[in-house]
Amino acid sequence: MKTIQFREAICEAMSEEMRRDESVYLMGEEVAEYNGAYKASKGMLDEFGEKRVIDTPIAELGFAGIAVGSTMTGNRPIVEYMTFNFSLVGIDQIINNAAKIRQMSGGQFKCPIVFRGPTASAGQLGATHSQAFENWFANTPGLKVVVPSNPYDAKGLLKAAIRDDDPVIFMESEQMYGDKGEVPEGEYILPIGVAEIKRKGEDVTIVSFGKIIKEAYKAADELEKEGISCEIIDLRTVRPMDRKAIIESVKKTNRLVVLEEAWPFGNVATEITYLVQSEAFDYLDAPIVKINTADTPAPYSPVLLKEWLPDYEDVIKAVKKVLYK
């Protein structure tokens, strides 16, 4: 095992797949000459050249369309968005083309493409740069949505995403690119659609994904001092969702808290809540609690932003609520 940063795990995954398959290429704003806005493609231009690591204009709709079209000629593009907030400019290509090519062509065309970049808030970046769209994309049949929380998962899942014959939305975080973690020296791939129990527990199940799961870890450490045992599930993949892992955990703990950095209406946590009440209702000893951001655009003020964003204290309150403590 070696210890590397999240950004290095992303770079390794892309580079290894590009060495393996000449049809894989990377395109996006500043991915080449600048080594990536977050240095996640450092050194790739030097190794693969400008035909496979392509700097684009600030025109998400345009380069998303070029990438989607190129899948029909045998290519496997990786499209980097500087932030998924900017993907909204190109969302027509993602929703109306990438997600539907296979069905609308009667299976004649597949669309092996990865749209990747950071999601959700990253400090004081204001309302239009601090949004989480996992549930938007997960609502679309034809798309897979992956949201890793550490370097190991990021590398293994990104390699799987690049090899997938369907479009994959791969969502990272600006606040995780510097995170360090252990990654195997040799090649490995993690299956899309499989969650992982990051921490075993007996009293309550906490389901989360992405960078916000760190708050669940902090809460679990504090609650353990009070004798409360938390089981933490990292979804890793929002769609397809590992429903079995969630249900089996809830059947054991009989209580569920869902932590998600997203607005509260119609989000991933809502889907999980429906899943559990429909398939494991008789196992619940308390109503499910979901923790989300406030139902407003993200504020710029650091004081307001702290109140807007869920933290470990919110998780502790939620766990004690389902435990009636």
Side-chain angles (χ1 to χ4, degrees):
M1 302 287 279
K2 59 185 176 183
T3 300
I4 60 174
Q5 292 184 329
F6 192 102
R7 61 168 58 87
E8 294 173 306
I10 295 294
C11 187
E12 283 192 3
M14 294 191 294
S15 297
E16 288 175 13
E17 291 306 301
M18 287 175 70
R19 293 182 197 119
R20 173 182 173 273
D21 185 347
E22 290 186 356
S23 69
V24 179
Y25 70 91
L26 171 67
M27 71 188 311
E29 294 151 359
E30 299 185 351
V31 299
E33 294 289 346
Y34 192 66
N35 287 310
Y38 311 103
K39 299 298 180 278
S41 54
K42 186 176 181 180
M44 292 180 65
L45 174 63
D46 292 338
E47 179 175 355
F48 300 105
E50 61 184 14
K51 288 187 177 181
R52 297 185 66 196
V53 182
I54 305 166
D55 276 333
T56 66
I58 303 174
E60 287 80 8
L61 178 62
F63 66 76
I66 290 170
V68 171
S70 77
T71 67
M72 290 188 248
T73 59
N75 292 291
R76 308 184 78 91
I78 305 166
V79 174
E80 178 179 309
Y81 290 120
M82 198 174 291
T83 158
F84 264 97
N85 296 280
F86 302 162
S87 76
L88 300 190
V89 182
I91 202 168
D92 176 63
Q93 292 293 343
I94 300 172
I95 303 297
N96 279 330
N97 293 321
K100 297 175 174 61
I101 284 174
R102 186 186 285 273
Q103 185 202 47
M104 293 180 69
S105 70
Q108 295 179 82
F109 292 107
K110 56 189 180 183
C111 189
I113 187 170
V114 176
F115 298 97
R116 52 156 294 269
T119 183
S121 65
Q124 288 179 265
L125 296 181
T128 61
H129 289 65
S130 305
Q131 304 169 108
F133 297 120
E134 290 87 337
N135 60 309
W136 283 34
F137 292 114
N139 185 251
T140 306
L143 298 180
K144 297 177 181 179
V145 182
V146 179
V147 194
S149 66
N150 59 77
Y152 173 82
D153 289 352
K155 182 176 180 180
L157 287 166
L158 182 52
K159 287 172 70 69
I162 294 168
R163 296 187 190 189
D164 201 291
D165 283 338
D166 291 309
V168 180
I169 308 296
F170 196 92
M171 309 180 93
E172 303 151 16
S173 169
E174 292 169 58
Q175 294 185 325
M176 290 198 303
Y177 285 119
D179 288 1
K180 293 183 177 180
E182 289 190 337
V183 171
E185 292 283 355
E187 180 176 273
Y188 70 99
I189 295 178
L190 297 177
I192 292 174
V194 179
E196 183 177 31
I197 297 175
K198 298 292 190 182
R199 180 175 181 142
K200 291 187 178 294
E202 302 295 330
D203 298 324
V204 60
T205 298
I206 303 174
V207 177
S208 188
F209 58 91
K211 81 172 191 293
I212 200 70
I213 200 171
K214 297 177 186 179
E215 300 301 318
Y217 298 147
K218 293 178 190 176
D221 288 340
E222 291 299 314
L223 289 163
E224 188 175 35
K225 298 173 184 176
E226 301 179 36
I228 298 172
S229 173
C230 299
E231 180 148 295
I232 300 177
I233 295 178
D234 185 345
L235 282 183
R236 302 197 293 192
T237 302
V238 170
R239 182 174 182 140
M241 185 181 293
D242 191 344
R243 297 166 180 261
K244 182 180 178 182
I246 299 169
I247 294 298
E248 288 182 350
S249 180
V250 170
K251 285 181 177 180
K252 179 177 72 172
T253 66
N254 309 117
R255 294 171 174 84
L256 175 62
V257 170
V258 187
L259 171 63
E260 178 189 6
E261 184 181 347
W263 294 310
F265 187 89
N267 52 34
V268 176
T270 304
E271 178 65 20
I272 293 171
T273 300
Y274 175 78
L275 164 71
V276 173
Q277 71 83 29
S278 62
E279 297 188 20
F281 179 80
D282 291 339
Y283 290 88
L284 288 172
D285 287 341
I288 298 165
V289 174
K290 65 188 190 81
I291 308 167
N292 299 111
T293 67
D295 197 16
T296 70
Y300 180 77
S301 159
V303 176
L304 294 177
L305 184 63
K306 185 178 185 303
E307 291 300 312
W308 181 82
L309 192 64
D311 63 14
Y312 76 97
E313 293 177 338
D314 296 316
V315 179
I316 290 173
K317 291 176 185 176
V319 168
K320 290 186 175 181
K321 182 176 181 180
V322 299
L323 289 168
Y324 300 110
K325 291 189 176 183

